[in-house]
Amino acid sequence: MPTELVASRTAVLVCQGRAAADGVVAPGLFADPTAWQFLRPTEREAVEQVRSGAAPQGWGARVEFEGVRACAEVVVPRTIAIDEAVRTHPTPQVVILGAGLDGRAWRLSALADVSTFEVDHPASQADKVERVGDLPPLAVLHFVPVDFGRDDLSGALADAGHDGTAATTWIWEGVIPYLNRADVVATMNVVQSRSAAESRVVINYQSPSLAAKLGRLMMRAVSLVARRPDPLAGEPQRSAWTPADMQRLLTDHGFVVRQDDDLLTLAGRLPMAVRQRMSLRNGRVVVADGPLTSG
Ligand SMILES: C[S@@+](CC[C@H](N)C(=O)[O-])C[C@H]1O[C@@H](n2cnc3c(N)ncnc32)[C@H](O)[C@@H]1O
């Protein structure tokens, strides 16, 4: 995160991606009507353009259009895979780590009446609370402001009412790239210590890729030329994990990996056109159950 006062820009970008994809990409299998509701009017412009397929004139608007269009393709397979992992393994509690503008607590029927804890950086969470207004969630929702690099996650969850003796599904989507390895391990320590038997961890992470690094540099350069803010500027990528590293992280914390697929493979199973092969190949969703020995 850039400063303590700035809400996540990448959270807005992925929300724009979901709003652009809603009912358009993989229709019938992917839907997120909350995404549009959580966006501010200026953020909806690029979404409308992507949905209509009409690329705007001018560099600046075109850069944003391409960013949202690319994002729409990436969020669909990862959202479907994560929703499926949640639906097929019901638990009395769900914790969404780095929730951003995630709409699951409002849209996913599997979370109806489930005790759901949205953990996020305080600045991002304050921004979300404002955007959500009085839209009623399906879940029994608790907001838990936490900076993973600084705050006591376990204490904050306990204070918010999370029960370490009941099973939890942990969702960690699109957040690990922004954390260094020490903070990822520290967070997993808390996940392990607060996971009763029959818990599940669902993580979307990035595998290492030189091409992806170059892509981010290109995005920065193009944004500079187009005089548009680079949505990734304030949120540098801090860690990428090979599938073997990720498996080790999870097994070291007592979890058994059930599946670990790249998004390109997941997208290949869906009725959707694939343009972003590189981004899809580097993104992964891992599902693991445990812990073998609880807390
Ligand atoms: C790309 S967004 C993903 C949001 C959401 N999980 C999704 O997929 O729509 C990254 C999220 O990670 C959160 N984040 C990044 N660094 C963090 C930190 N140190 N502590 C808490 N949250 C953090 C941001 O606030 C933001 O909500």
Side-chain angles (χ1 to χ4, degrees), residues 46-280:
V47 171
E48 277 175 329
Q49 289 158 353
V50 172
R51 290 180 67 81
S52 72
Q57 299 293 314
W59 266 79
R62 185 64 190 254
V63 168
E64 193 179 353
F65 172 89
E66 293 299 344
V68 172
R69 185 160 72 167
C71 199
E73 200 178 307
V74 171
V75 293
V76 167
R78 88 183 200 194
T79 303
I80 291 176
I82 294 170
D83 288 359
E84 177 73 3
V86 172
R87 233 191 318 262
T88 55
H89 186 90
T91 51
Q93 305 176 106
V94 169
V95 177
I96 306 178
L97 297 164
L101 301 178
D102 188 314
R104 288 187 176 87
W106 288 263
R107 67 165 175 80
L108 198 61
S109 56
L111 295 195
D113 300 324
V114 170
S115 207
T116 301
F117 300 83
E118 284 206 356
V119 178
D120 207 350
H121 188 282
S124 303
Q125 190 154 89
D127 178 54
K128 180 174 191 175
V129 167
E130 210 179 283
R131 289 166 182 264
V132 166
D134 51 14
L135 194 69
L138 299 173
V140 179
L141 182 58
H142 311 267
F143 287 112
V144 189
V146 164
D147 181 333
F148 295 124
R150 189 191 60 191
D151 299 327
D152 170 13
L153 172 61
S154 187
L157 281 169
D159 289 349
H162 177 260
D163 179 1
T165 66
T168 298
T169 297
W170 304 83
I171 300 172
W172 209 0
E173 179 184 13
V175 184
I176 282 192
Y178 307 105
L179 305 179
N180 61 39
R181 290 176 100 81
D183 289 342
V184 171
V185 172
T187 304
M188 270 310 297
N189 290 342
V190 174
V191 168
Q192 179 182 23
S193 72
R194 301 199 66 85
S195 287
E198 308 292 321
S199 290
R200 168 164 279 195
V201 180
V202 189
I203 302 176
N204 161 236
Y205 68 102
Q206 296 290 316
S207 55
S209 156
L210 179 62
K213 257 188 202 159
L214 293 174
R216 279 192 299 277
L217 286 175
M218 176 74 90
M219 178 76 170
R220 191 175 306 166
V222 171
S223 300
L224 210 68
V225 172
R227 298 189 182 171
R228 300 287 280 213
D230 172 6
L232 310 179
E235 292 164 81
Q237 302 268 308
R238 295 201 166 94
S239 72
W241 299 68
T242 64
D245 279 350
M246 184 49 66
Q247 166 134 14
R248 201 168 311 119
L249 176 76
L250 288 162
T251 50
D252 283 355
H253 288 86
F255 285 86
V256 178
V257 172
R258 301 289 183 212
Q259 61 194 72
D260 183 357
D261 296 304
D262 65 71
L263 299 184
L264 188 59
T265 302
L266 296 173
R269 296 177 193 151
L270 301 172
M272 61 181 278
V274 168
R275 270 188 276 220
Q276 306 297 322
R277 298 186 74 81
M278 189 186 76
S279 308
L280 287 164

